[in-house]
């Protein structure tokens, strides 16, 4: 659930406040790490575990659908990366 959302027009910035998701981000899933660990502990010494082509296609579709939904509502969706895609199920 989203707790709050705002758009700062002069900076073209959307801010969304949500409770922490236990599964973390897509990056956490790729690195098989816990979301609450420090950045260096999670990513500096590990290698990402590759996803299957099917999983990449599924995630890609979900991300593109999310970007399209944001743009339809007038929100820009730039700077999308594995660290800011939240895994919620």
């Amino acid at each position: 659930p989203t707790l709050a959302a705002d758009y700062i027009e002069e900076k073209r910035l959307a801010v969304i406040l949500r409770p922490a998701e236990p599964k973390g981000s897509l990056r956490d899933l790729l690195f098989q790490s816990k979301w609450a660990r420090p950045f260096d502990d999670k990513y500096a010494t590990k290698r990402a575990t590759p996803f299957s082509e099917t999983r990449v296609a599924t995630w890609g579709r979900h991300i593109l659908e999310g970007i399209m939904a944001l743009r339809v509502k007038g929100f820009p969706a730039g700077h999308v990366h594995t660290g800011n895609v939240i895994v919620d199920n």
Side-chain angles (χ1 to χ4, degrees):
T2 300
L3 301 177
D6 199 2
Y7 180 66
I8 305 166
E9 191 166 346
E10 61 272 4
K11 293 191 177 200
R12 299 189 66 199
L13 177 69
V15 179
I16 300 171
L17 180 62
R18 298 179 47 139
E21 288 290 343
K23 292 186 179 177
S25 68
L26 185 55
R27 180 184 289 165
D28 293 328
L29 193 61
L30 280 165
F31 281 84
Q32 300 177 347
S33 61
K34 303 287 185 209
W35 69 272
R37 305 274 310 163
F39 183 90
D40 286 344
D41 291 350
K42 295 193 300 185
Y43 311 123
T45 60
K46 291 185 178 181
R47 293 183 59 89
T49 304
F51 286 160
S52 68
E53 287 184 25
T54 302
R55 201 165 186 193
V56 169
T58 300
W59 275 105
R61 180 181 177 111
H62 288 305
I63 291 166
L64 290 172
E65 287 174 348
I67 290 170
M68 287 172 46
L70 288 171
R71 291 205 172 152
V72 163
K73 294 183 183 269
F75 285 95
H79 199 63
V80 176
H81 58 79
T82 58
N84 64 21
V85 174
I86 303 300
V87 178
D88 67 358
N89 61 19

